[in-house]
Amino acid sequence: VSWHASDEDGDALMYSVHYSPDAGARWFPVTSGLRAKSFVWNTIGSPGGGGGLIRVRACDGFNSAEDTSDAPFSLAGQPPLAAILQPTSGTRFLQWEPIALVGEALDPDGLAMNAAWTIGSEHGSFAIDGLRVQAPPLDPGGHWARLDIEDSDGFAASREIVFDVLADSDRDGMDDAFEQEHAFDPGNA
């Protein structure tokens, strides 16, 4: 992105740049504090749209002026962003514990999104719809959980974690291996 600007009395100018995906209905800051009259814009995370405009504001510390691009342009839509907040990879659960799965999603284009979790192990997998869900208690062993997000344009994102479920045969809150190691009876609460 580049532009031409000057100050009548020769003061140094500082620039800020904003982007609108919808012909000026909404404006998003792109960068500020620039001294140069150009910069390379990484559009990742910027909403797509067919009515793209750039607005540059110049300021000499006292006066300011701005100009908006003359013709709209198109910026391709962006995929959603997905994050797993809970649990973290490597977490350990006891076999009788329900497991809270908490995810977050953001669509830079502001589109509606669908969210689904897939929880699995070497014995199979199952799915639960939603960002914040509770998985039923799982059998002991290694497991994985994947959060899949898809926006209404068909762009998708996913994140995955792994976790362990420890055997707790007597449901006393201590895993069986711990009880055996410390000479407790893992089959008797």
Side-chain angles (χ1 to χ4, degrees), residues 119-126 143-144:
I119 298 99
S121 70
E122 64 183 22
H123 305 293
S125 63
F126 62 94
H143 295 268
W144 54 268

Side-chain angles (χ1 to χ4, degrees), residues 24-178:
R26 298 175 297 155
W27 289 94
F28 298 93
V30 174
T31 189
S32 62
L34 291 175
R35 298 258 182 218
K37 296 178 185 175
S38 67
F39 80 104
V40 176
W41 177 24
N42 180 348
T43 61
I44 293 174
S46 298
L53 294 172
I54 294 289
R55 180 175 64 198
V56 176
R57 178 173 289 147
C59 180
D60 66 3
F62 184 72
N63 295 309
S64 65
E66 65 184 37
D67 191 26
T68 302
S69 54
D70 296 327
F73 60 92
S74 293
L75 184 63
Q78 302 289 324
L81 306 170
I84 296 175
L85 304 180
Q86 182 180 328
T88 57
S89 249
T91 299
R92 294 180 175 181
F93 298 95
L94 294 176
Q95 77 183 86
W96 306 107
E97 284 185 89
I99 299 171
L101 301 169
V102 180
E104 286 294 330
L106 171 71
D107 188 84
D109 299 326
L111 299 174
M113 296 176 286
N114 294 317
W117 289 89
T118 304
I119 298 99
S121 70
E122 64 183 22
H123 305 293
S125 63
F126 62 94
I128 305 173
D129 289 337
L131 279 172
R132 297 169 183 261
V133 300
Q134 186 165 310
L138 301 171
D139 292 333
H143 295 268
W144 54 268
R146 185 181 66 240
L147 173 61
D148 294 307
I149 305 294
E150 185 174 342
D151 70 18
S152 57
D153 276 348
F155 290 111
S158 66
R159 293 289 179 263
E160 188 170 312
I161 54 140
V162 294
F163 59 93
D164 292 312
V165 175
L166 307 176
D168 182 15
S169 302
D170 55 8
R171 296 184 181 202
D172 65 355
M174 293 184 280
D175 70 85
D176 291 355
F178 175 86

